[in-house]
């Protein structure tokens, strides 16, 4: 993978080059924002959120984070912008910067769309990656790490299972790399045809029934129908749940302190049985809450640079 200069400068596009200390600093900042009402005054700074792919959590929690930090948030809808006239992403960012934007959050279907932006000497505003195709989703990864750290107070030697559609998941790609850096033991499970080529580098494959009684964290992923070939999109939901998902029988076999995570949106009854989405082990809503504070920490870090 190309090394990204993403932590020493003002952009936040991937967690892959972050050290354990740098991650812990971001988590501590996010926890500080969660646990006290004091805010960094960024009222003279402007943000815009450019979402070229659909989003509820990432888009709206970035906006909430910006507002809690006191920033001015400028609306941008690709469908009513000059993107419709053929303006490129690069020229769009150049324009937003010219009118005074400090931070541009971008979600885009093109993997590594940000490389041209962060390597350009003309781009001075901060680029934050809100998800690039099947590439990376670093802000989701940070909120996942924050949620795990809140629960266990460490990553070292935790057994963390990532389950499901790993090949198409930018969340899985971001998490498998950084969890290794932090000393967790990563496992994968799900349909073998949906495992990514680099899974072997970061962990081992086990069946869900081998993982359920030993994992500290069961992290389920959404079946990304929109990124699949038509034949895969017709996967029968009940069969998927029984073969690879969290059923009531499996939930009962989990360790006492083990938790269930999912970046959401959840296909209820596919990855996780409907009645377990909000069960006592589930941290899915906590992940959404933490997303605001993790994103406040990310914005603070880029603005301070
Ligand atoms: N988890 C996540 O990225 O959700 P959204 O697509 O709703 O932003």
């Amino acid at each position: 993978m190309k090394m990204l200069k993403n932590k020493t400068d003002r952009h936040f596009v991937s967690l892959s080059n972050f050290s354990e200390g740098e991650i812990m600093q971001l988590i501590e900042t996010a926890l500080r924002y969660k646990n006290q009402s004091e805010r960094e005054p960024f009222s003279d700074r402007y943000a815009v959120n450019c979402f070229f792919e659909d989003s509820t959590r990432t888009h709206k929690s970035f906006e909430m984070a910006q507002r809690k930090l006191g920033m001015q948030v400028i609306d941008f809808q690709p469908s009513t912008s000059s993107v419709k006239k053929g303006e490129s992403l690069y020229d769009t960012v150049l324009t937003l910067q010219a009118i005074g934007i400090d931070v541009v959050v971008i979600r885009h279907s093109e993997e590594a769309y940000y490389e041209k932006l962060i390597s350009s000497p003309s781009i001075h505003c901060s680029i934050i990656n809100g998800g690039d195709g099947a590439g990376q989703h670093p802000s989701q990864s940070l909120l996942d790490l924050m949620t795990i750290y809140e629960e266990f107070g460490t990553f070292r030697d935790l057994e963390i299972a990532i389950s499901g559609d790993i090949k198409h998941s930018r969340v899985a790609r971001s998490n498998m790399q950084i969890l290794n850096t932090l000393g967790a033991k990563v496992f994968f499970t799900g349909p073998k045809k949906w495992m990514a080529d680099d899974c072997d580098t970061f962990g081992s494959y086990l069946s869900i029934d081998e993982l359920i009684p030993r994992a500290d964290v069961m992290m389920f992923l959404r079946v990304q129908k929109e990124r699949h070939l038509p034949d895969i999109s017709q996967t029968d939901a009940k069969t998927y749940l029984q073969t690879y998902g969290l059923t009531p029988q499996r939930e009962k076999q989990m360790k006492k302190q083990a938790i269930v995570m999912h970046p959401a949106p959840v296909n209820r009854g596919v990855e996780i049985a409907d009645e377990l989405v909000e069960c006592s082990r589930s941290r899915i809503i906590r992940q959404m809450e933490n997303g605001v504070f993790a994103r406040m920490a990310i914005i603070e870090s880029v603005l301070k640079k």
Side-chain angles (χ1 to χ4, degrees):
M1 177 180 287
K2 190 177 168 188
M3 294 296 277
L4 299 162
K5 49 173 192 141
N6 62 358
K7 63 186 170 69
T8 51
D9 63 17
R10 65 201 171 279
H11 307 299
F12 182 87
V13 296
S14 163
L15 285 182
S16 36
N17 289 343
F18 277 64
S19 68
E20 185 172 351
E22 289 163 332
I23 293 291
M24 289 314 301
Q25 206 174 345
L26 281 170
I27 293 174
E28 296 297 346
T29 306
L31 289 169
R32 172 169 57 79
Y33 277 125
K34 185 171 182 173
N35 295 321
Q36 65 189 42
S37 55
E38 194 184 313
R39 310 284 189 225
E40 283 288 327
F42 290 120
S43 56
D44 58 343
R45 301 301 191 95
Y46 291 81
V48 65
N49 302 311
C50 303
F51 278 67
F52 295 88
E53 280 192 332
D54 297 342
S55 167
T56 300
R57 274 148 291 274
T58 312
H59 190 166
K60 294 303 156 191
S61 60
F62 261 117
E63 187 168 337
M64 182 63 87
Q66 291 151 359
R67 292 188 188 282
K68 280 180 182 272
L69 289 169
M71 297 181 76
Q72 310 294 318
V73 185
I74 305 298
D75 184 46
F76 179 88
Q77 305 290 343
S79 61
T80 54
S81 74
S82 285
V83 169
K84 294 291 275 183
K85 301 176 205 163
E87 191 163 40
S88 67
L89 179 62
Y90 178 85
D91 285 337
T92 301
V93 172
L94 211 54
T95 304
L96 294 169
Q97 174 179 279
I99 65 171
I101 299 294
D102 300 288
V103 175
V104 186
V105 180
I106 303 173
R107 172 173 286 189
H108 203 282
S109 58
E110 187 187 324
E111 212 167 304
Y113 69 81
Y114 46 75
E115 284 188 353
K116 185 174 177 188
L117 300 172
I118 67 173
S119 58
S120 165
S122 307
I123 303 289
H124 310 297
C125 59
S126 291
I127 306 297
I128 297 180
N129 183 11
D132 59 297
Q136 301 274 339
H137 196 348
S139 67
Q140 176 72 45
S141 190
L142 185 66
L143 75 88
D144 289 346
L145 296 177
M146 176 185 176
T147 306
I148 295 169
Y149 187 77
E150 256 189 328
E151 196 74 34
F152 298 100
T154 184
F155 297 98
R156 207 145 289 280
D157 298 328
L158 285 181
E159 298 209 335
I160 300 183
I162 305 179
S163 169
D165 191 359
I166 292 163
K167 194 176 194 165
H168 300 98
S169 172
R170 49 196 172 209
V171 179
R173 178 140 302 99
S174 291
N175 278 344
M176 67 175 89
Q177 293 170 2
I178 198 64
L179 284 168
N180 258 256
T181 303
L182 296 171
K185 290 182 189 154
V186 178
F187 296 90
F188 301 102
T189 192
K192 286 208 168 154
K193 63 185 174 185
W194 290 353
M195 294 301 111
D197 294 341
D198 51 353
C199 279
D200 289 348
T201 315
F202 300 106
S204 353
Y205 181 93
L206 290 176
S207 74
I208 186 155
D209 291 311
E210 290 172 292
L211 285 168
I212 280 282
R214 64 182 282 181
D216 299 292
V217 178
M218 288 296 307
M219 190 181 282
F220 292 89
L221 301 172
R222 184 172 68 89
V223 176
Q224 302 206 20
K225 293 175 189 156
E226 71 276 22
R227 297 191 206 279
H228 286 160
L229 298 171
D231 63 323
I232 300 174
S233 70
Q234 284 156 21
T235 302
D236 174 66
K238 259 193 185 162
T239 307
Y240 185 90
L241 180 67
Q242 289 305 324
T243 317
Y244 304 109
L246 186 68
T247 59
Q249 293 84 346
R250 289 193 178 116
E251 191 272 337
K252 286 189 186 79
Q253 291 163 24
M254 289 177 70
K255 289 199 310 200
K256 193 166 173 247
Q257 307 299 337
I259 61 168
V260 172
M261 297 176 70
H262 190 304
V266 181
N267 293 310
R268 284 177 180 254
V270 181
E271 301 98 30
I272 300 178
D274 189 3
E275 65 271 33
L276 296 178
V277 172
E278 297 158 75
C279 72
S280 58
R281 292 184 188 282
S282 171
R283 297 294 177 272
I284 298 171
I285 306 299
R286 174 85 54 80
Q287 286 172 269
M288 296 172 195
E289 290 165 4
N290 284 346
V292 174
F293 305 109
R295 289 172 174 122
M296 289 172 80
I298 292 165
I299 293 166
E300 183 196 290
S301 78
V302 300
L303 283 178
K304 282 191 169 172
K305 287 165 192 161

